[in-house]
């Protein structure tokens, strides 16, 4: 939730019509999560509620996938993007709040087999 903390600190200084762009991932889609995490993320209606979601290493999703924590964090970022976009100060300043997915890129994380170049 570090990107969200940064946004919260920067929001008062943002100019009217600014845009907040969160870099997410296709892995952040709710259908990528176990039913347990999907329910927790969907239920969260505030940033505080999102921050209360704890990682459970015994969850079946966590033990079956090395990218599970990444998936949960990106789903939480997507939900935070939605919550932030609905804040009154965002509407008052006409600030755009979006999440983007650059796709699978050849980076240290994405690996050499990725189809897209980071350039």
């Amino acid at each position: 939730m570090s990107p969200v903390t940064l946004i919260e600190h920067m929001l008062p200084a943002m100019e009217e019509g600014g845009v907040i762009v969160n870099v997410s991932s296709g892995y952040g889609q709710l259908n990528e999560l176990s039913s347990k995490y999907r329910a927790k993320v969907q239920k969260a209606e505030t940033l505080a509620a999102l921050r209360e979601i704890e990682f459970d290493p015994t969850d079946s999703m966590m033990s079956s996938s090395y990218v599970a924590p990444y998936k949960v964090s990106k789903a939480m970022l997507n939900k935070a993007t939605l919550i932030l976009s609905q804040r009154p100060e965002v509407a008052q300043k006409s600030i755009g709040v979006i999440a983007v997915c650059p796709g699978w890129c050849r980076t240290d994380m994405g690996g050499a087999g990725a189809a897209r170049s980071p350039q």
Side-chain angles (χ1 to χ4, degrees):
M1 297 291 293
S2 294
V4 176
T5 301
L6 177 62
I7 292 167
E8 288 179 306
H9 287 285
M10 296 298 295
L11 196 54
M14 287 191 70
E15 294 184 13
E16 188 166 330
V19 180
I20 297 166
V21 180
N22 289 321
V23 179
S24 189
S25 168
Y27 276 147
Q29 297 177 69
L30 291 174
N31 66 353
E32 289 284 343
L33 305 180
S34 66
S35 58
K36 175 182 173 178
Y37 281 108
R38 186 177 315 118
K40 287 182 176 191
V41 172
Q42 285 178 314
K43 183 180 175 184
E45 294 183 5
T46 65
L47 297 177
L50 273 178
R51 286 185 173 107
E52 290 176 7
I53 296 174
E54 295 182 10
F55 289 100
D56 178 2
T58 64
D59 183 89
S60 61
M61 184 179 100
M62 295 301 183
S63 62
S64 66
S65 173
Y66 69 95
V67 294
Y70 180 78
K71 290 179 178 184
V72 173
S73 70
K74 289 301 185 178
M76 290 172 65
L77 180 64
N78 291 345
K79 183 67 179 224
T81 301
L82 177 63
I83 293 168
L84 286 164
S85 73
Q86 298 169 345
R87 289 177 68 158
E89 62 267 43
V90 168
Q92 290 166 356
K93 289 184 171 183
S94 300
I95 295 172
V97 184
I98 62 171
V100 298
C101 171
W104 185 27
C105 296
R106 284 186 305 274
T107 61
D108 288 344
M109 183 176 172
R116 179 175 278 174
S117 165
Q119 285 78 25

